[in-house]
Amino acid sequence: MNICIYGAGAIGTIFAVRLAQCGANISVIARNDSFQAIAEKGVGLDQPDTPRIFAEVAAATSLADLPEQDMIISAVKQPAIAEIARLIAPHISASTQIVLAMNGVPWWFLDNLAGAPDDTILRTLDPDGNLRQLLPTSQIIGAVIHMSSFVAEPGVACLRAGNKIILGRPGRKIDMALEACASLCKQAGFEVETSAFIQKDIWFKLWGNMTMNPISALTRTTTDRILDDKLVHQFVCDIMTEAKDIGAQLGIEIDTTPQERNKLTRKLGAMRTSMLQDIEAGRTLEVDALLGGVSEIADKLGYQAHHISILYGLTRLLADAQQPH
């Protein structure tokens, strides 16, 4: 089976190592130092209480350099998706499965959703409105990743905690291709769940990420300090309440409270979120996937999401200041 991993960050590298060990023919699209490292020694993975392991894969800079792929796993962040979709589109067939492992709201989130507004195009995520033509929704498998990881060095990922992947179709169906993907991931050592309502799984993970990530980047602090500050914790709960209301209008019910959800986050200790790591490293921030898409959905539904709008505006300014001018 030919599988291409698009993106050599932590999650992409973990997929590459694990799937290569299952015997799949793995190629990794990478750039610069990551491409050089993978070409020379393959991909590596550090895991708790386990010696570093390496797997041999093919390093490439473009899908044009590779044979036809049965599956493409995109492990890039939302700001890069539009360009990546344009590069992937010419190299997919009607049977190619496209697994999207990304945080936040994807551009196809409102597809096949019972409570969706008539206009399902999210312009914050799909400015030209053409991503569905490039990557058909029917071939997409959404992946919700519950793992804490980072890049230890080019071509090497470190998995700190978690091992769970939730896989599902936007169309609320579990078909043979989805089951095959889930089975392969199980063979690769992941804890896998197939979902008949992947949008709900995406929204629930987003429920925590949409506050902890941007607030940690804005304040340069860890999640424990955010939740231990009474005023900031209340702001977090206000945002989560708005997001819960928006989800309910879409048919996505969350049967817990913000306070109960935050207790789980607090037990994880002093977490340095991915957006905090991105701001410190000078990388582009995932603002629209975490906040912009939610704000746009609220507007489409006629819901006044005041607290979400405040955090979105502040984080958008931060992201703009992060970019070279």
mmCIF file of all heavy atoms in Angstrom, residues 109-159:
data_model
loop_
_atom_site.group_PDB
_atom_site.id
_atom_site.type_symbol
_atom_site.label_atom_id
_atom_site.label_comp_id
_atom_site.label_asym_id
_atom_site.label_seq_id
_atom_site.Cartn_x
_atom_site.Cartn_y
_atom_site.Cartn_z
ATOM 1 N N PHE A 109 -16.375 21.377 7.545
ATOM 2 C CA PHE A 109 -17.057 21.080 8.812
ATOM 3 C C PHE A 109 -18.580 21.108 8.695
ATOM 4 O O PHE A 109 -19.280 20.312 9.330
ATOM 5 C CB PHE A 109 -16.602 22.075 9.886
ATOM 6 C CG PHE A 109 -17.136 21.771 11.259
ATOM 7 C CD1 PHE A 109 -16.558 20.785 12.042
ATOM 8 C CD2 PHE A 109 -18.221 22.463 11.768
ATOM 9 C CE1 PHE A 109 -17.056 20.493 13.303
ATOM 10 C CE2 PHE A 109 -18.723 22.182 13.026
ATOM 11 C CZ PHE A 109 -18.135 21.196 13.798
ATOM 12 N N LEU A 110 -19.133 22.020 7.903
ATOM 13 C CA LEU A 110 -20.587 22.156 7.794
ATOM 14 C C LEU A 110 -21.206 21.196 6.778
ATOM 15 O O LEU A 110 -22.436 21.122 6.666
ATOM 16 C CB LEU A 110 -20.952 23.597 7.422
ATOM 17 C CG LEU A 110 -20.584 24.663 8.462
ATOM 18 C CD1 LEU A 110 -20.918 26.055 7.941
ATOM 19 C CD2 LEU A 110 -21.278 24.410 9.796
ATOM 20 N N ASP A 111 -20.381 20.445 6.050
ATOM 21 C CA ASP A 111 -20.911 19.502 5.058
ATOM 22 C C ASP A 111 -21.664 18.367 5.758
ATOM 23 O O ASP A 111 -21.172 17.765 6.719
ATOM 24 C CB ASP A 111 -19.772 18.907 4.223
ATOM 25 C CG ASP A 111 -19.152 19.931 3.296
ATOM 26 O OD1 ASP A 111 -19.587 21.090 3.307
ATOM 27 O OD2 ASP A 111 -18.214 19.563 2.558
ATOM 28 N N ASN A 112 -22.864 18.067 5.252
ATOM 29 C CA ASN A 112 -23.679 16.955 5.760
ATOM 30 C C ASN A 112 -24.021 17.095 7.243
ATOM 31 O O ASN A 112 -24.209 16.099 7.947
ATOM 32 C CB ASN A 112 -22.961 15.610 5.526
ATOM 33 C CG ASN A 112 -22.615 15.376 4.082
ATOM 34 O OD1 ASN A 112 -23.446 15.501 3.201
ATOM 35 N ND2 ASN A 112 -21.356 15.053 3.820
ATOM 36 N N LEU A 113 -24.092 18.325 7.722
ATOM 37 C CA LEU A 113 -24.422 18.597 9.117
ATOM 38 C C LEU A 113 -25.867 19.086 9.180
ATOM 39 O O LEU A 113 -26.218 20.084 8.540
ATOM 40 C CB LEU A 113 -23.467 19.659 9.668
ATOM 41 C CG LEU A 113 -23.326 19.793 11.181
ATOM 42 C CD1 LEU A 113 -22.918 18.473 11.825
ATOM 43 C CD2 LEU A 113 -22.300 20.872 11.518
ATOM 44 N N ALA A 114 -26.688 18.391 9.953
ATOM 45 C CA ALA A 114 -28.133 18.638 9.933
ATOM 46 C C ALA A 114 -28.497 20.080 10.262
ATOM 47 O O ALA A 114 -29.399 20.656 9.655
ATOM 48 C CB ALA A 114 -28.821 17.681 10.911
ATOM 49 N N GLY A 115 -27.813 20.677 11.218
ATOM 50 C CA GLY A 115 -28.163 22.031 11.636
ATOM 51 C C GLY A 115 -27.389 23.127 10.943
ATOM 52 O O GLY A 115 -27.421 24.288 11.380
ATOM 53 N N ALA A 116 -26.704 22.789 9.859
ATOM 54 C CA ALA A 116 -25.849 23.768 9.184
ATOM 55 C C ALA A 116 -26.673 24.847 8.492
ATOM 56 O O ALA A 116 -27.771 24.582 8.004
ATOM 57 C CB ALA A 116 -24.957 23.068 8.161
ATOM 58 N N PRO A 117 -26.127 26.061 8.408
ATOM 59 C CA PRO A 117 -26.795 27.104 7.626
ATOM 60 C C PRO A 117 -26.736 26.779 6.141
ATOM 61 O O PRO A 117 -25.993 25.882 5.715
ATOM 62 C CB PRO A 117 -25.981 28.363 7.965
ATOM 63 C CG PRO A 117 -24.636 27.841 8.367
ATOM 64 C CD PRO A 117 -24.879 26.532 9.023
ATOM 65 N N ASP A 118 -27.513 27.511 5.342
ATOM 66 C CA ASP A 118 -27.541 27.246 3.899
ATOM 67 C C ASP A 118 -26.173 27.456 3.256
ATOM 68 O O ASP A 118 -25.771 26.694 2.370
ATOM 69 C CB ASP A 118 -28.573 28.159 3.229
ATOM 70 C CG ASP A 118 -29.999 27.816 3.632
ATOM 71 O OD1 ASP A 118 -30.229 26.657 4.040
ATOM 72 O OD2 ASP A 118 -30.870 28.698 3.551
ATOM 73 N N ASP A 119 -25.460 28.476 3.696
ATOM 74 C CA ASP A 119 -24.127 28.754 3.164
ATOM 75 C C ASP A 119 -23.104 27.983 3.981
ATOM 76 O O ASP A 119 -22.823 28.322 5.132
ATOM 77 C CB ASP A 119 -23.841 30.259 3.234
ATOM 78 C CG ASP A 119 -22.454 30.617 2.709
ATOM 79 O OD1 ASP A 119 -21.785 29.726 2.132
ATOM 80 O OD2 ASP A 119 -22.029 31.771 2.889
ATOM 81 N N THR A 120 -22.559 26.933 3.389
ATOM 82 C CA THR A 120 -21.632 26.064 4.130
ATOM 83 C C THR A 120 -20.162 26.387 3.880
ATOM 84 O O THR A 120 -19.291 25.728 4.443
ATOM 85 C CB THR A 120 -21.885 24.587 3.770
ATOM 86 O OG1 THR A 120 -21.701 24.409 2.361
ATOM 87 C CG2 THR A 120 -23.288 24.165 4.166
ATOM 88 N N ILE A 121 -19.868 27.354 3.055
ATOM 89 C CA ILE A 121 -18.475 27.712 2.780
ATOM 90 C C ILE A 121 -17.967 28.627 3.888
ATOM 91 O O ILE A 121 -18.546 29.688 4.151
ATOM 92 C CB ILE A 121 -18.320 28.405 1.418
ATOM 93 C CG1 ILE A 121 -18.704 27.447 0.288
ATOM 94 C CG2 ILE A 121 -16.887 28.894 1.223
ATOM 95 C CD1 ILE A 121 -18.649 28.058 -1.090
ATOM 96 N N LEU A 122 -16.899 28.230 4.553
ATOM 97 C CA LEU A 122 -16.272 29.022 5.605
ATOM 98 C C LEU A 122 -15.109 29.789 4.986
ATOM 99 O O LEU A 122 -14.036 29.233 4.763
ATOM 100 C CB LEU A 122 -15.796 28.111 6.743
ATOM 101 C CG LEU A 122 -16.911 27.362 7.492
ATOM 102 C CD1 LEU A 122 -16.337 26.343 8.446
ATOM 103 C CD2 LEU A 122 -17.821 28.343 8.223
ATOM 104 N N ARG A 123 -15.330 31.056 4.707
ATOM 105 C CA ARG A 123 -14.346 31.853 3.969
ATOM 106 C C ARG A 123 -13.075 32.110 4.762
ATOM 107 O O ARG A 123 -12.015 32.364 4.182
ATOM 108 C CB ARG A 123 -14.962 33.182 3.550
ATOM 109 C CG ARG A 123 -16.138 33.048 2.577
ATOM 110 C CD ARG A 123 -15.684 32.651 1.190
ATOM 111 N NE ARG A 123 -16.826 32.434 0.298
ATOM 112 C CZ ARG A 123 -16.704 32.118 -0.988
ATOM 113 N NH1 ARG A 123 -15.504 31.983 -1.517
ATOM 114 N NH2 ARG A 123 -17.788 31.932 -1.731
ATOM 115 N N THR A 124 -13.150 32.047 6.089
ATOM 116 C CA THR A 124 -11.933 32.203 6.881
ATOM 117 C C THR A 124 -10.973 31.041 6.647
ATOM 118 O O THR A 124 -9.751 31.187 6.793
ATOM 119 C CB THR A 124 -12.263 32.287 8.383
ATOM 120 O OG1 THR A 124 -13.136 31.208 8.735
ATOM 121 C CG2 THR A 124 -12.907 33.608 8.740
ATOM 122 N N LEU A 125 -11.522 29.892 6.258
ATOM 123 C CA LEU A 125 -10.718 28.687 6.044
ATOM 124 C C LEU A 125 -10.568 28.337 4.569
ATOM 125 O O LEU A 125 -9.621 27.658 4.180
ATOM 126 C CB LEU A 125 -11.363 27.508 6.775
ATOM 127 C CG LEU A 125 -11.593 27.730 8.277
ATOM 128 C CD1 LEU A 125 -12.530 26.683 8.827
ATOM 129 C CD2 LEU A 125 -10.274 27.716 9.020
ATOM 130 N N ASP A 126 -11.503 28.799 3.759
ATOM 131 C CA ASP A 126 -11.530 28.495 2.320
ATOM 132 C C ASP A 126 -11.838 29.786 1.556
ATOM 133 O O ASP A 126 -12.925 29.949 1.008
ATOM 134 C CB ASP A 126 -12.602 27.431 2.054
ATOM 135 C CG ASP A 126 -12.633 26.955 0.611
ATOM 136 O OD1 ASP A 126 -11.731 27.334 -0.165
ATOM 137 O OD2 ASP A 126 -13.580 26.212 0.268
ATOM 138 N N PRO A 127 -10.882 30.717 1.519
ATOM 139 C CA PRO A 127 -11.153 32.055 0.968
ATOM 140 C C PRO A 127 -11.677 32.043 -0.462
ATOM 141 O O PRO A 127 -12.536 32.857 -0.808
ATOM 142 C CB PRO A 127 -9.780 32.745 1.057
ATOM 143 C CG PRO A 127 -9.046 32.017 2.116
ATOM 144 C CD PRO A 127 -9.508 30.602 2.034
ATOM 145 N N ASP A 128 -11.181 31.126 -1.279
ATOM 146 C CA ASP A 128 -11.609 31.073 -2.677
ATOM 147 C C ASP A 128 -12.814 30.160 -2.888
ATOM 148 O O ASP A 128 -13.338 30.070 -4.006
ATOM 149 C CB ASP A 128 -10.446 30.612 -3.561
ATOM 150 C CG ASP A 128 -9.277 31.577 -3.532
ATOM 151 O OD1 ASP A 128 -9.521 32.795 -3.449
ATOM 152 O OD2 ASP A 128 -8.119 31.116 -3.571
ATOM 153 N N GLY A 129 -13.224 29.461 -1.855
ATOM 154 C CA GLY A 129 -14.383 28.574 -1.956
ATOM 155 C C GLY A 129 -14.187 27.389 -2.874
ATOM 156 O O GLY A 129 -15.166 26.824 -3.378
ATOM 157 N N ASN A 130 -12.936 26.956 -3.063
ATOM 158 C CA ASN A 130 -12.676 25.884 -4.035
ATOM 159 C C ASN A 130 -12.054 24.630 -3.444
ATOM 160 O O ASN A 130 -11.679 23.714 -4.180
ATOM 161 C CB ASN A 130 -11.778 26.411 -5.152
ATOM 162 C CG ASN A 130 -10.375 26.767 -4.658
ATOM 163 O OD1 ASN A 130 -10.131 26.830 -3.455
ATOM 164 N ND2 ASN A 130 -9.463 27.000 -5.587
ATOM 165 N N LEU A 131 -11.920 24.555 -2.123
ATOM 166 C CA LEU A 131 -11.240 23.401 -1.538
ATOM 167 C C LEU A 131 -12.010 22.100 -1.768
ATOM 168 O O LEU A 131 -11.407 21.038 -1.913
ATOM 169 C CB LEU A 131 -11.010 23.625 -0.042
ATOM 170 C CG LEU A 131 -9.916 24.642 0.307
ATOM 171 C CD1 LEU A 131 -9.802 24.811 1.808
ATOM 172 C CD2 LEU A 131 -8.573 24.221 -0.286
ATOM 173 N N ARG A 132 -13.341 22.176 -1.837
ATOM 174 C CA ARG A 132 -14.119 20.965 -2.092
ATOM 175 C C ARG A 132 -13.907 20.434 -3.504
ATOM 176 O O ARG A 132 -14.045 19.240 -3.748
ATOM 177 C CB ARG A 132 -15.603 21.249 -1.865
ATOM 178 C CG ARG A 132 -15.983 21.434 -0.406
ATOM 179 C CD ARG A 132 -17.406 21.948 -0.279
ATOM 180 N NE ARG A 132 -17.806 22.128 1.109
ATOM 181 C CZ ARG A 132 -17.468 23.183 1.842
ATOM 182 N NH1 ARG A 132 -16.696 24.131 1.322
ATOM 183 N NH2 ARG A 132 -17.874 23.285 3.089
ATOM 184 N N GLN A 133 -13.609 21.336 -4.437
ATOM 185 C CA GLN A 133 -13.311 20.895 -5.799
ATOM 186 C C GLN A 133 -11.916 20.262 -5.861
ATOM 187 O O GLN A 133 -11.697 19.300 -6.600
ATOM 188 C CB GLN A 133 -13.377 22.071 -6.774
ATOM 189 C CG GLN A 133 -14.792 22.536 -7.115
ATOM 190 C CD GLN A 133 -15.464 23.256 -5.954
ATOM 191 O OE1 GLN A 133 -14.877 24.179 -5.383
ATOM 192 N NE2 GLN A 133 -16.673 22.860 -5.616
ATOM 193 N N LEU A 134 -10.997 20.792 -5.075
ATOM 194 C CA LEU A 134 -9.636 20.257 -5.064
ATOM 195 C C LEU A 134 -9.564 18.919 -4.324
ATOM 196 O O LEU A 134 -8.944 17.967 -4.802
ATOM 197 C CB LEU A 134 -8.681 21.266 -4.427
ATOM 198 C CG LEU A 134 -8.501 22.592 -5.173
ATOM 199 C CD1 LEU A 134 -7.684 23.574 -4.333
ATOM 200 C CD2 LEU A 134 -7.821 22.357 -6.514
ATOM 201 N N LEU A 135 -10.214 18.873 -3.163
ATOM 202 C CA LEU A 135 -10.206 17.667 -2.326
ATOM 203 C C LEU A 135 -11.655 17.315 -1.995
ATOM 204 O O LEU A 135 -12.222 17.844 -1.040
ATOM 205 C CB LEU A 135 -9.410 17.910 -1.038
ATOM 206 C CG LEU A 135 -7.957 18.376 -1.192
ATOM 207 C CD1 LEU A 135 -7.322 18.603 0.176
ATOM 208 C CD2 LEU A 135 -7.134 17.367 -1.998
ATOM 209 N N PRO A 136 -12.274 16.433 -2.758
ATOM 210 C CA PRO A 136 -13.700 16.137 -2.572
ATOM 211 C C PRO A 136 -14.027 15.639 -1.160
ATOM 212 O O PRO A 136 -13.311 14.789 -0.611
ATOM 213 C CB PRO A 136 -13.964 15.036 -3.606
ATOM 214 C CG PRO A 136 -12.896 15.220 -4.642
ATOM 215 C CD PRO A 136 -11.693 15.683 -3.887
ATOM 216 N N THR A 137 -15.096 16.166 -0.595
ATOM 217 C CA THR A 137 -15.507 15.786 0.750
ATOM 218 C C THR A 137 -15.715 14.286 0.871
ATOM 219 O O THR A 137 -15.423 13.683 1.912
ATOM 220 C CB THR A 137 -16.803 16.531 1.139
ATOM 221 O OG1 THR A 137 -16.558 17.942 1.094
ATOM 222 C CG2 THR A 137 -17.254 16.169 2.545
ATOM 223 N N SER A 138 -16.208 13.652 -0.172
ATOM 224 C CA SER A 138 -16.494 12.214 -0.139
ATOM 225 C C SER A 138 -15.244 11.367 0.048
ATOM 226 O O SER A 138 -15.339 10.195 0.445
ATOM 227 C CB SER A 138 -17.208 11.791 -1.419
ATOM 228 O OG SER A 138 -16.388 12.042 -2.558
ATOM 229 N N GLN A 139 -14.063 11.933 -0.218
ATOM 230 C CA GLN A 139 -12.818 11.178 -0.082
ATOM 231 C C GLN A 139 -12.046 11.544 1.175
ATOM 232 O O GLN A 139 -10.958 11.019 1.422
ATOM 233 C CB GLN A 139 -11.934 11.411 -1.315
ATOM 234 C CG GLN A 139 -12.514 10.812 -2.584
ATOM 235 C CD GLN A 139 -11.685 11.136 -3.819
ATOM 236 O OE1 GLN A 139 -12.195 11.739 -4.772
ATOM 237 N NE2 GLN A 139 -10.429 10.745 -3.825
ATOM 238 N N ILE A 140 -12.620 12.418 1.980
ATOM 239 C CA ILE A 140 -11.921 12.898 3.172
ATOM 240 C C ILE A 140 -12.249 12.032 4.383
ATOM 241 O O ILE A 140 -13.396 11.643 4.605
ATOM 242 C CB ILE A 140 -12.284 14.373 3.455
ATOM 243 C CG1 ILE A 140 -11.554 15.276 2.470
ATOM 244 C CG2 ILE A 140 -11.949 14.767 4.891
ATOM 245 C CD1 ILE A 140 -11.930 16.728 2.556
ATOM 246 N N ILE A 141 -11.221 11.741 5.156
ATOM 247 C CA ILE A 141 -11.373 11.119 6.473
ATOM 248 C C ILE A 141 -10.834 12.124 7.490
ATOM 249 O O ILE A 141 -9.655 12.473 7.465
ATOM 250 C CB ILE A 141 -10.607 9.791 6.583
ATOM 251 C CG1 ILE A 141 -11.179 8.764 5.601
ATOM 252 C CG2 ILE A 141 -10.666 9.257 8.015
ATOM 253 C CD1 ILE A 141 -10.382 7.459 5.542
ATOM 254 N N GLY A 142 -11.710 12.614 8.348
ATOM 255 C CA GLY A 142 -11.270 13.524 9.391
ATOM 256 C C GLY A 142 -10.582 12.747 10.508
ATOM 257 O O GLY A 142 -11.030 11.655 10.881
ATOM 258 N N ALA A 143 -9.497 13.298 11.033
ATOM 259 C CA ALA A 143 -8.746 12.640 12.106
ATOM 260 C C ALA A 143 -8.594 13.595 13.282
ATOM 261 O O ALA A 143 -8.036 14.676 13.133
ATOM 262 C CB ALA A 143 -7.374 12.192 11.603
ATOM 263 N N VAL A 144 -9.117 13.190 14.417
ATOM 264 C CA VAL A 144 -8.940 13.953 15.649
ATOM 265 C C VAL A 144 -7.830 13.278 16.444
ATOM 266 O O VAL A 144 -7.941 12.095 16.798
ATOM 267 C CB VAL A 144 -10.244 13.999 16.472
ATOM 268 C CG1 VAL A 144 -10.038 14.787 17.765
ATOM 269 C CG2 VAL A 144 -11.368 14.607 15.647
ATOM 270 N N ILE A 145 -6.764 14.015 16.686
ATOM 271 C CA ILE A 145 -5.561 13.449 17.293
ATOM 272 C C ILE A 145 -5.499 13.811 18.775
ATOM 273 O O ILE A 145 -5.523 14.994 19.134
ATOM 274 C CB ILE A 145 -4.294 13.976 16.586
ATOM 275 C CG1 ILE A 145 -4.396 13.794 15.068
ATOM 276 C CG2 ILE A 145 -3.052 13.283 17.150
ATOM 277 C CD1 ILE A 145 -4.464 12.377 14.601
ATOM 278 N N HIS A 146 -5.412 12.793 19.614
ATOM 279 C CA HIS A 146 -5.244 13.017 21.052
ATOM 280 C C HIS A 146 -3.863 12.508 21.456
ATOM 281 O O HIS A 146 -3.715 11.426 22.032
ATOM 282 C CB HIS A 146 -6.351 12.312 21.843
ATOM 283 C CG HIS A 146 -7.707 12.929 21.665
ATOM 284 N ND1 HIS A 146 -8.079 14.103 22.278
ATOM 285 C CD2 HIS A 146 -8.771 12.534 20.915
ATOM 286 C CE1 HIS A 146 -9.323 14.409 21.947
ATOM 287 N NE2 HIS A 146 -9.760 13.483 21.109
ATOM 288 N N MET A 147 -2.856 13.283 21.102
ATOM 289 C CA MET A 147 -1.475 12.963 21.436
ATOM 290 C C MET A 147 -0.726 14.252 21.739
ATOM 291 O O MET A 147 -0.967 15.271 21.099
ATOM 292 C CB MET A 147 -0.779 12.233 20.276
ATOM 293 C CG MET A 147 -1.275 10.828 20.017
ATOM 294 S SD MET A 147 -0.328 9.974 18.723
ATOM 295 C CE MET A 147 -1.104 10.663 17.258
ATOM 296 N N SER A 148 0.179 14.180 22.694
ATOM 297 C CA SER A 148 1.061 15.303 22.993
ATOM 298 C C SER A 148 2.441 14.954 22.461
ATOM 299 O O SER A 148 3.043 13.957 22.883
ATOM 300 C CB SER A 148 1.122 15.545 24.511
ATOM 301 O OG SER A 148 2.061 16.553 24.820
ATOM 302 N N SER A 149 2.946 15.757 21.524
ATOM 303 C CA SER A 149 4.203 15.416 20.859
ATOM 304 C C SER A 149 4.913 16.678 20.406
ATOM 305 O O SER A 149 4.343 17.763 20.393
ATOM 306 C CB SER A 149 3.925 14.509 19.654
ATOM 307 O OG SER A 149 3.074 15.178 18.722
ATOM 308 N N PHE A 150 6.171 16.512 20.040
ATOM 309 C CA PHE A 150 6.935 17.625 19.494
ATOM 310 C C PHE A 150 8.059 17.072 18.629
ATOM 311 O O PHE A 150 8.372 15.867 18.671
ATOM 312 C CB PHE A 150 7.484 18.529 20.602
ATOM 313 C CG PHE A 150 8.475 17.858 21.534
ATOM 314 C CD1 PHE A 150 9.846 17.926 21.297
ATOM 315 C CD2 PHE A 150 8.031 17.166 22.651
ATOM 316 C CE1 PHE A 150 10.754 17.321 22.143
ATOM 317 C CE2 PHE A 150 8.934 16.546 23.515
ATOM 318 C CZ PHE A 150 10.298 16.626 23.260
ATOM 319 N N VAL A 151 8.668 17.943 17.846
ATOM 320 C CA VAL A 151 9.805 17.555 17.010
ATOM 321 C C VAL A 151 11.074 17.657 17.847
ATOM 322 O O VAL A 151 11.444 18.744 18.305
ATOM 323 C CB VAL A 151 9.911 18.443 15.759
ATOM 324 C CG1 VAL A 151 11.178 18.108 14.972
ATOM 325 C CG2 VAL A 151 8.677 18.259 14.874
ATOM 326 N N ALA A 152 11.732 16.525 18.051
ATOM 327 C CA ALA A 152 12.963 16.514 18.846
ATOM 328 C C ALA A 152 14.146 17.053 18.045
ATOM 329 O O ALA A 152 15.007 17.750 18.572
ATOM 330 C CB ALA A 152 13.259 15.096 19.339
ATOM 331 N N GLU A 153 14.170 16.713 16.768
ATOM 332 C CA GLU A 153 15.176 17.190 15.819
ATOM 333 C C GLU A 153 14.633 16.884 14.429
ATOM 334 O O GLU A 153 13.657 16.132 14.300
ATOM 335 C CB GLU A 153 16.523 16.516 16.048
ATOM 336 C CG GLU A 153 16.482 15.002 15.866
ATOM 337 C CD GLU A 153 17.782 14.332 16.248
ATOM 338 O OE1 GLU A 153 18.118 14.297 17.449
ATOM 339 O OE2 GLU A 153 18.457 13.817 15.313
ATOM 340 N N PRO A 154 15.194 17.448 13.367
ATOM 341 C CA PRO A 154 14.644 17.169 12.036
ATOM 342 C C PRO A 154 14.515 15.670 11.760
ATOM 343 O O PRO A 154 15.465 14.916 11.909
ATOM 344 C CB PRO A 154 15.666 17.824 11.102
ATOM 345 C CG PRO A 154 16.213 18.960 11.905
ATOM 346 C CD PRO A 154 16.303 18.436 13.314
ATOM 347 N N GLY A 155 13.302 15.254 11.408
ATOM 348 C CA GLY A 155 13.053 13.850 11.091
ATOM 349 C C GLY A 155 12.779 12.961 12.280
ATOM 350 O O GLY A 155 12.550 11.762 12.117
ATOM 351 N N VAL A 156 12.777 13.532 13.493
ATOM 352 C CA VAL A 156 12.563 12.736 14.712
ATOM 353 C C VAL A 156 11.478 13.391 15.565
ATOM 354 O O VAL A 156 11.564 14.577 15.887
ATOM 355 C CB VAL A 156 13.849 12.588 15.546
ATOM 356 C CG1 VAL A 156 13.573 11.795 16.822
ATOM 357 C CG2 VAL A 156 14.947 11.919 14.733
ATOM 358 N N ALA A 157 10.460 12.621 15.920
ATOM 359 C CA ALA A 157 9.383 13.103 16.785
ATOM 360 C C ALA A 157 9.496 12.492 18.161
ATOM 361 O O ALA A 157 10.031 11.390 18.332
ATOM 362 C CB ALA A 157 8.026 12.751 16.176
ATOM 363 N N CYS A 158 8.989 13.208 19.155
ATOM 364 C CA CYS A 158 8.918 12.695 20.518
ATOM 365 C C CYS A 158 7.452 12.662 20.932
ATOM 366 O O CYS A 158 6.780 13.697 20.929
ATOM 367 C CB CYS A 158 9.722 13.579 21.468
ATOM 368 S SG CYS A 158 9.647 13.023 23.197
ATOM 369 N N LEU A 159 6.957 11.481 21.267
ATOM 370 C CA LEU A 159 5.589 11.312 21.749
ATOM 371 C C LEU A 159 5.639 11.306 23.273
ATOM 372 O O LEU A 159 6.207 10.402 23.883
ATOM 373 C CB LEU A 159 4.993 9.999 21.228
ATOM 374 C CG LEU A 159 3.589 9.651 21.710
ATOM 375 C CD1 LEU A 159 2.585 10.708 21.287
ATOM 376 C CD2 LEU A 159 3.170 8.275 21.200
#
